[in-house]
Amino acid sequence: MDAEIIAIGSELLLGATVDTNSAYLARQLAAAGVSLFRKSVVGDNAQRIAATIDESLSRADLVICTGGLGPTLDDVTREAVALAFGRELEFRQELMDQVAARFAAMGRPMSESNRRQAFVPAGARAIENPRGTAPSFIVEDERGTVIVLPGVPYEMRFLFESAVLPYLRDERGVTDVILVKTLHAVGLGESVIGERIADLMLASNPTVGISAKQARYELRIGARAAGRADAEALVAAAEATIRERLGANLTGDETLAETVARLLAERGQTLSLYEGTSAAPVYRALADTPGGLAHVRGAMIHPLDRPTDEHAAASLAHAGAISAADRWRSDLALAVQAASTPDDRGFTAVSVALCHPAGARQATRHYDLRQPEGWDFVGTLALDLLRRYLLGETE
């Protein structure tokens, strides 16, 4: 079964509300073995919603809509679905009774406008909503199936799990499994990674994709099979090939910061930090990771107080690492120092240094620190330098 999701609500188009429902449904559909083709967002306009439903049904067997089931005049999803299927809306007394019972349980009077929520397209299968006042429904014809759920997230999740999943499994025979595994890579550009695993990215099952996130790269392996064991075997085979081709540039299931935190713990090593910028990219990356600061004895954040060029930045990074190690008596110290001004291209030289018992390691790169993610790249460079040392790699 192939599916599309339509999130309905002008507040989503205006950016006033973040569409978390589609992300939830995408994960649930994948776990149920349903391939998701597309996600769409449409405002509260019956004609546009109906047109989007028609378009989705031309590509997919299943369309799931969320939102627009409230009692006000701008809640037009019921009308839009009826229009898409060429049906009239019909009143269901049993749904009206459910809505009335919900208001009675809350000890609140029911408005006349709530009567709108008891209408569904003719022939639709109604889904009772014990968590709210917006009953849902399923409509089927020869083109496919449209399932309409409330936009309130906790109501939508409850109905999907309690009603939609059983419907898909018991009545539509959805039994496949889609398994997704994410690996993390550093130290190589997206284009280089893409070239090394190009053949895997062209395969249909399992599928492999790359996305950049916070100056690092995520590789997603997705496999579809009749059972979990078969899906796991497909994922394992693809993962083995990726590991072989990317080698030490692959951190595996963990993020870079998680790997560093684990290696410090396993090797019983302590770390101190020197950051020559208030951005503190290494400290922030570790602080955002559970247990990331467990073996960090201290951090010195010392923004530049005088003009510094590339050569001076390298010297300051080296001196900063030594100073941090001495101050906190740590086994290792990691330092970051950027030059005070960018070059004529807008790129700034940044040096990172690692002080260890046998000496030091250092690297200098040029980054566009005007971009918000610029410091993420710096943090990645520094943590990867530390990771490679902890793994015993030579320079």
Side-chain angles (χ1 to χ4, degrees), residues 200-234:
L200 300 180
M201 296 175 68
L202 294 174
S204 58
N205 191 30
T207 60
V208 177
I210 305 173
S211 61
K213 181 174 292 187
Q214 293 184 330
R216 293 175 288 277
Y217 300 99
E218 291 186 352
L219 287 75
R220 295 176 312 281
I221 307 171
R224 181 172 184 166
R228 185 173 182 86
D230 291 338
E232 288 176 343
L234 289 170

mmCIF file of all heavy atoms in Angstrom, residues 200-234:
data_model
loop_
_atom_site.group_PDB
_atom_site.id
_atom_site.type_symbol
_atom_site.label_atom_id
_atom_site.label_comp_id
_atom_site.label_asym_id
_atom_site.label_seq_id
_atom_site.Cartn_x
_atom_site.Cartn_y
_atom_site.Cartn_z
ATOM 1 N N LEU A 200 24.377 2.061 -4.015
ATOM 2 C CA LEU A 200 23.390 1.783 -2.971
ATOM 3 C C LEU A 200 22.235 2.773 -3.026
ATOM 4 O O LEU A 200 21.081 2.419 -2.751
ATOM 5 C CB LEU A 200 24.047 1.843 -1.594
ATOM 6 C CG LEU A 200 25.196 0.863 -1.329
ATOM 7 C CD1 LEU A 200 25.735 1.059 0.083
ATOM 8 C CD2 LEU A 200 24.749 -0.571 -1.530
ATOM 9 N N MET A 201 22.543 4.017 -3.398
ATOM 10 C CA MET A 201 21.509 5.046 -3.448
ATOM 11 C C MET A 201 20.567 4.860 -4.628
ATOM 12 O O MET A 201 19.474 5.426 -4.648
ATOM 13 C CB MET A 201 22.157 6.428 -3.502
ATOM 14 C CG MET A 201 22.969 6.757 -2.251
ATOM 15 S SD MET A 201 23.842 8.336 -2.366
ATOM 16 C CE MET A 201 22.464 9.482 -2.345
ATOM 17 N N LEU A 202 20.980 4.073 -5.604
ATOM 18 C CA LEU A 202 20.131 3.798 -6.768
ATOM 19 C C LEU A 202 19.259 2.565 -6.575
ATOM 20 O O LEU A 202 18.359 2.312 -7.372
ATOM 21 C CB LEU A 202 20.999 3.630 -8.016
ATOM 22 C CG LEU A 202 21.755 4.878 -8.490
ATOM 23 C CD1 LEU A 202 22.679 4.525 -9.649
ATOM 24 C CD2 LEU A 202 20.787 5.970 -8.891
ATOM 25 N N ALA A 203 19.536 1.789 -5.540
ATOM 26 C CA ALA A 203 18.775 0.561 -5.302
ATOM 27 C C ALA A 203 17.373 0.886 -4.802
ATOM 28 O O ALA A 203 17.149 1.913 -4.156
ATOM 29 C CB ALA A 203 19.509 -0.328 -4.305
ATOM 30 N N SER A 204 16.434 0.003 -5.072
ATOM 31 C CA SER A 204 15.046 0.227 -4.667
ATOM 32 C C SER A 204 14.720 -0.382 -3.311
ATOM 33 O O SER A 204 13.828 0.087 -2.607
ATOM 34 C CB SER A 204 14.086 -0.329 -5.720
ATOM 35 O OG SER A 204 14.310 -1.716 -5.916
ATOM 36 N N ASN A 205 15.414 -1.433 -2.919
ATOM 37 C CA ASN A 205 15.183 -2.070 -1.620
ATOM 38 C C ASN A 205 16.402 -2.894 -1.224
ATOM 39 O O ASN A 205 16.695 -3.881 -1.886
ATOM 40 C CB ASN A 205 13.953 -2.973 -1.669
ATOM 41 C CG ASN A 205 13.512 -3.443 -0.292
ATOM 42 O OD1 ASN A 205 13.696 -2.757 0.703
ATOM 43 N ND2 ASN A 205 12.946 -4.631 -0.232
ATOM 44 N N PRO A 206 17.125 -2.452 -0.210
ATOM 45 C CA PRO A 206 16.864 -1.290 0.638
ATOM 46 C C PRO A 206 17.219 0.016 -0.059
ATOM 47 O O PRO A 206 18.009 0.039 -1.001
ATOM 48 C CB PRO A 206 17.778 -1.529 1.843
ATOM 49 C CG PRO A 206 18.923 -2.293 1.284
ATOM 50 C CD PRO A 206 18.327 -3.189 0.233
ATOM 51 N N THR A 207 16.646 1.101 0.431
ATOM 52 C CA THR A 207 16.981 2.421 -0.075
ATOM 53 C C THR A 207 18.014 3.065 0.850
ATOM 54 O O THR A 207 18.035 2.790 2.048
ATOM 55 C CB THR A 207 15.743 3.320 -0.134
ATOM 56 O OG1 THR A 207 15.192 3.452 1.193
ATOM 57 C CG2 THR A 207 14.682 2.730 -1.060
ATOM 58 N N VAL A 208 18.863 3.908 0.277
ATOM 59 C CA VAL A 208 19.876 4.615 1.055
ATOM 60 C C VAL A 208 19.835 6.085 0.661
ATOM 61 O O VAL A 208 19.824 6.413 -0.534
ATOM 62 C CB VAL A 208 21.291 4.044 0.818
ATOM 63 C CG1 VAL A 208 22.337 4.860 1.579
ATOM 64 C CG2 VAL A 208 21.360 2.578 1.251
ATOM 65 N N GLY A 209 19.812 6.966 1.640
ATOM 66 C CA GLY A 209 19.793 8.397 1.374
ATOM 67 C C GLY A 209 20.720 9.131 2.324
ATOM 68 O O GLY A 209 21.074 8.622 3.391
ATOM 69 N N ILE A 210 21.120 10.331 1.931
ATOM 70 C CA ILE A 210 22.021 11.155 2.730
ATOM 71 C C ILE A 210 21.348 12.492 3.008
ATOM 72 O O ILE A 210 20.706 13.067 2.131
ATOM 73 C CB ILE A 210 23.347 11.433 1.993
ATOM 74 C CG1 ILE A 210 24.019 10.139 1.559
ATOM 75 C CG2 ILE A 210 24.308 12.216 2.894
ATOM 76 C CD1 ILE A 210 25.241 10.384 0.695
ATOM 77 N N SER A 211 21.528 12.993 4.229
ATOM 78 C CA SER A 211 21.094 14.347 4.541
ATOM 79 C C SER A 211 22.118 15.002 5.456
ATOM 80 O O SER A 211 22.733 14.341 6.291
ATOM 81 C CB SER A 211 19.717 14.352 5.219
ATOM 82 O OG SER A 211 19.746 13.645 6.441
ATOM 83 N N ALA A 212 22.323 16.301 5.235
ATOM 84 C CA ALA A 212 23.257 17.063 6.069
ATOM 85 C C ALA A 212 22.502 17.604 7.270
ATOM 86 O O ALA A 212 21.407 18.145 7.135
ATOM 87 C CB ALA A 212 23.872 18.199 5.264
ATOM 88 N N LYS A 213 23.099 17.488 8.448
ATOM 89 C CA LYS A 213 22.460 17.974 9.658
ATOM 90 C C LYS A 213 23.532 18.427 10.636
ATOM 91 O O LYS A 213 24.346 17.621 11.085
ATOM 92 C CB LYS A 213 21.589 16.883 10.283
ATOM 93 C CG LYS A 213 20.852 17.311 11.546
ATOM 94 C CD LYS A 213 19.900 16.241 12.033
ATOM 95 C CE LYS A 213 18.733 16.028 11.096
ATOM 96 N NZ LYS A 213 17.725 15.092 11.657
ATOM 97 N N GLN A 214 23.534 19.720 10.951
ATOM 98 C CA GLN A 214 24.459 20.292 11.920
ATOM 99 C C GLN A 214 25.906 19.919 11.605
ATOM 100 O O GLN A 214 26.645 19.445 12.446
ATOM 101 C CB GLN A 214 24.089 19.841 13.334
ATOM 102 C CG GLN A 214 22.759 20.405 13.804
ATOM 103 C CD GLN A 214 22.453 20.037 15.239
ATOM 104 O OE1 GLN A 214 22.862 18.996 15.719
ATOM 105 N NE2 GLN A 214 21.723 20.890 15.920
ATOM 106 N N ALA A 215 26.279 20.140 10.351
ATOM 107 C CA ALA A 215 27.649 19.954 9.893
ATOM 108 C C ALA A 215 28.083 18.497 9.903
ATOM 109 O O ALA A 215 29.260 18.193 9.781
ATOM 110 C CB ALA A 215 28.614 20.788 10.730
ATOM 111 N N ARG A 216 27.146 17.600 10.033
ATOM 112 C CA ARG A 216 27.460 16.180 9.942
ATOM 113 C C ARG A 216 26.470 15.559 8.963
ATOM 114 O O ARG A 216 25.552 16.204 8.498
ATOM 115 C CB ARG A 216 27.364 15.520 11.326
ATOM 116 C CG ARG A 216 28.442 16.017 12.273
ATOM 117 C CD ARG A 216 28.278 15.452 13.669
ATOM 118 N NE ARG A 216 27.151 16.015 14.380
ATOM 119 C CZ ARG A 216 27.180 17.177 15.029
ATOM 120 N NH1 ARG A 216 28.257 17.909 15.012
ATOM 121 N NH2 ARG A 216 26.123 17.609 15.670
ATOM 122 N N TYR A 217 26.643 14.291 8.674
ATOM 123 C CA TYR A 217 25.817 13.655 7.655
ATOM 124 C C TYR A 217 25.128 12.419 8.209
ATOM 125 O O TYR A 217 25.740 11.609 8.910
ATOM 126 C CB TYR A 217 26.671 13.299 6.436
ATOM 127 C CG TYR A 217 27.313 14.523 5.838
ATOM 128 C CD1 TYR A 217 28.637 14.851 6.130
ATOM 129 C CD2 TYR A 217 26.582 15.410 5.052
ATOM 130 C CE1 TYR A 217 29.211 16.008 5.633
ATOM 131 C CE2 TYR A 217 27.147 16.567 4.551
ATOM 132 C CZ TYR A 217 28.464 16.859 4.851
ATOM 133 O OH TYR A 217 29.017 18.017 4.363
ATOM 134 N N GLU A 218 23.855 12.317 7.897
ATOM 135 C CA GLU A 218 23.065 11.160 8.277
ATOM 136 C C GLU A 218 22.817 10.290 7.058
ATOM 137 O O GLU A 218 22.417 10.800 6.006
ATOM 138 C CB GLU A 218 21.732 11.582 8.893
ATOM 139 C CG GLU A 218 21.857 12.250 10.243
ATOM 140 C CD GLU A 218 20.507 12.520 10.878
ATOM 141 O OE1 GLU A 218 19.478 12.316 10.187
ATOM 142 O OE2 GLU A 218 20.475 12.930 12.050
ATOM 143 N N LEU A 219 23.066 9.025 7.191
ATOM 144 C CA LEU A 219 22.799 8.070 6.125
ATOM 145 C C LEU A 219 21.657 7.175 6.591
ATOM 146 O O LEU A 219 21.770 6.473 7.597
ATOM 147 C CB LEU A 219 24.036 7.211 5.825
ATOM 148 C CG LEU A 219 25.190 7.891 5.086
ATOM 149 C CD1 LEU A 219 25.964 8.819 6.018
ATOM 150 C CD2 LEU A 219 26.133 6.857 4.504
ATOM 151 N N ARG A 220 20.551 7.224 5.877
ATOM 152 C CA ARG A 220 19.371 6.447 6.247
ATOM 153 C C ARG A 220 19.238 5.236 5.349
ATOM 154 O O ARG A 220 19.210 5.349 4.120
ATOM 155 C CB ARG A 220 18.105 7.304 6.147
ATOM 156 C CG ARG A 220 18.043 8.460 7.119
ATOM 157 C CD ARG A 220 16.799 9.287 6.866
ATOM 158 N NE ARG A 220 16.640 9.597 5.451
ATOM 159 C CZ ARG A 220 17.315 10.563 4.834
ATOM 160 N NH1 ARG A 220 18.194 11.290 5.489
ATOM 161 N NH2 ARG A 220 17.118 10.791 3.554
ATOM 162 N N ILE A 221 19.137 4.076 5.978
ATOM 163 C CA ILE A 221 18.899 2.824 5.261
ATOM 164 C C ILE A 221 17.462 2.408 5.543
ATOM 165 O O ILE A 221 17.068 2.274 6.700
ATOM 166 C CB ILE A 221 19.855 1.713 5.720
ATOM 167 C CG1 ILE A 221 21.302 2.182 5.644
ATOM 168 C CG2 ILE A 221 19.653 0.455 4.892
ATOM 169 C CD1 ILE A 221 22.280 1.220 6.295
ATOM 170 N N GLY A 222 16.668 2.220 4.508
ATOM 171 C CA GLY A 222 15.287 1.785 4.673
ATOM 172 C C GLY A 222 15.035 0.507 3.907
ATOM 173 O O GLY A 222 15.334 0.413 2.716
ATOM 174 N N ALA A 223 14.516 -0.512 4.607
ATOM 175 C CA ALA A 223 14.266 -1.811 3.963
ATOM 176 C C ALA A 223 12.820 -2.235 4.189
ATOM 177 O O ALA A 223 12.276 -2.049 5.285
ATOM 178 C CB ALA A 223 15.213 -2.871 4.506
ATOM 179 N N ARG A 224 12.239 -2.808 3.155
ATOM 180 C CA ARG A 224 10.860 -3.292 3.240
ATOM 181 C C ARG A 224 10.853 -4.793 3.012
ATOM 182 O O ARG A 224 11.468 -5.290 2.059
ATOM 183 C CB ARG A 224 9.996 -2.600 2.192
ATOM 184 C CG ARG A 224 8.534 -3.026 2.212
ATOM 185 C CD ARG A 224 7.723 -2.169 1.280
ATOM 186 N NE ARG A 224 6.306 -2.487 1.347
ATOM 187 C CZ ARG A 224 5.346 -1.726 0.834
ATOM 188 N NH1 ARG A 224 5.668 -0.605 0.213
ATOM 189 N NH2 ARG A 224 4.091 -2.067 0.943
ATOM 190 N N ALA A 225 10.156 -5.524 3.903
ATOM 191 C CA ALA A 225 10.110 -6.978 3.784
ATOM 192 C C ALA A 225 8.836 -7.494 4.436
ATOM 193 O O ALA A 225 8.111 -6.757 5.111
ATOM 194 C CB ALA A 225 11.339 -7.605 4.436
ATOM 195 N N ALA A 226 8.593 -8.788 4.239
ATOM 196 C CA ALA A 226 7.383 -9.400 4.792
ATOM 197 C C ALA A 226 7.475 -9.586 6.295
ATOM 198 O O ALA A 226 6.454 -9.717 6.966
ATOM 199 C CB ALA A 226 7.123 -10.742 4.114
ATOM 200 N N GLY A 227 8.680 -9.596 6.832
ATOM 201 C CA GLY A 227 8.874 -9.770 8.267
ATOM 202 C C GLY A 227 10.065 -8.978 8.747
ATOM 203 O O GLY A 227 10.921 -8.558 7.958
ATOM 204 N N ARG A 228 10.150 -8.783 10.066
ATOM 205 C CA ARG A 228 11.221 -7.964 10.624
ATOM 206 C C ARG A 228 12.600 -8.588 10.384
ATOM 207 O O ARG A 228 13.561 -7.879 10.097
ATOM 208 C CB ARG A 228 10.990 -7.761 12.121
ATOM 209 C CG ARG A 228 12.012 -6.805 12.736
ATOM 210 C CD ARG A 228 11.697 -6.461 14.180
ATOM 211 N NE ARG A 228 12.681 -5.510 14.693
ATOM 212 C CZ ARG A 228 12.600 -4.202 14.550
ATOM 213 N NH1 ARG A 228 11.558 -3.687 13.915
ATOM 214 N NH2 ARG A 228 13.530 -3.402 15.034
ATOM 215 N N ALA A 229 12.694 -9.910 10.510
ATOM 216 C CA ALA A 229 13.996 -10.559 10.329
ATOM 217 C C ALA A 229 14.530 -10.326 8.921
ATOM 218 O O ALA A 229 15.732 -10.056 8.737
ATOM 219 C CB ALA A 229 13.878 -12.054 10.622
ATOM 220 N N ASP A 230 13.655 -10.415 7.929
ATOM 221 C CA ASP A 230 14.090 -10.196 6.543
ATOM 222 C C ASP A 230 14.500 -8.741 6.336
ATOM 223 O O ASP A 230 15.480 -8.454 5.640
ATOM 224 C CB ASP A 230 12.967 -10.568 5.572
ATOM 225 C CG ASP A 230 12.711 -12.069 5.536
ATOM 226 O OD1 ASP A 230 13.624 -12.825 5.908
ATOM 227 O OD2 ASP A 230 11.604 -12.465 5.146
ATOM 228 N N ALA A 231 13.741 -7.803 6.932
ATOM 229 C CA ALA A 231 14.100 -6.388 6.808
ATOM 230 C C ALA A 231 15.431 -6.102 7.483
ATOM 231 O O ALA A 231 16.268 -5.357 6.960
ATOM 232 C CB ALA A 231 12.995 -5.520 7.416
ATOM 233 N N GLU A 232 15.659 -6.699 8.650
ATOM 234 C CA GLU A 232 16.928 -6.497 9.351
ATOM 235 C C GLU A 232 18.094 -7.039 8.536
ATOM 236 O O GLU A 232 19.181 -6.451 8.539
ATOM 237 C CB GLU A 232 16.879 -7.182 10.718
ATOM 238 C CG GLU A 232 15.976 -6.466 11.723
ATOM 239 C CD GLU A 232 15.861 -7.217 13.033
ATOM 240 O OE1 GLU A 232 16.204 -8.425 13.049
ATOM 241 O OE2 GLU A 232 15.423 -6.608 14.035
ATOM 242 N N ALA A 233 17.891 -8.141 7.832
ATOM 243 C CA ALA A 233 18.960 -8.708 7.007
ATOM 244 C C ALA A 233 19.318 -7.775 5.855
ATOM 245 O O ALA A 233 20.495 -7.598 5.519
ATOM 246 C CB ALA A 233 18.540 -10.076 6.477
ATOM 247 N N LEU A 234 18.315 -7.167 5.248
ATOM 248 C CA LEU A 234 18.567 -6.222 4.160
ATOM 249 C C LEU A 234 19.329 -4.997 4.669
ATOM 250 O O LEU A 234 20.270 -4.522 4.025
ATOM 251 C CB LEU A 234 17.239 -5.793 3.529
ATOM 252 C CG LEU A 234 16.503 -6.833 2.692
ATOM 253 C CD1 LEU A 234 15.104 -6.339 2.336
ATOM 254 C CD2 LEU A 234 17.277 -7.154 1.419
#
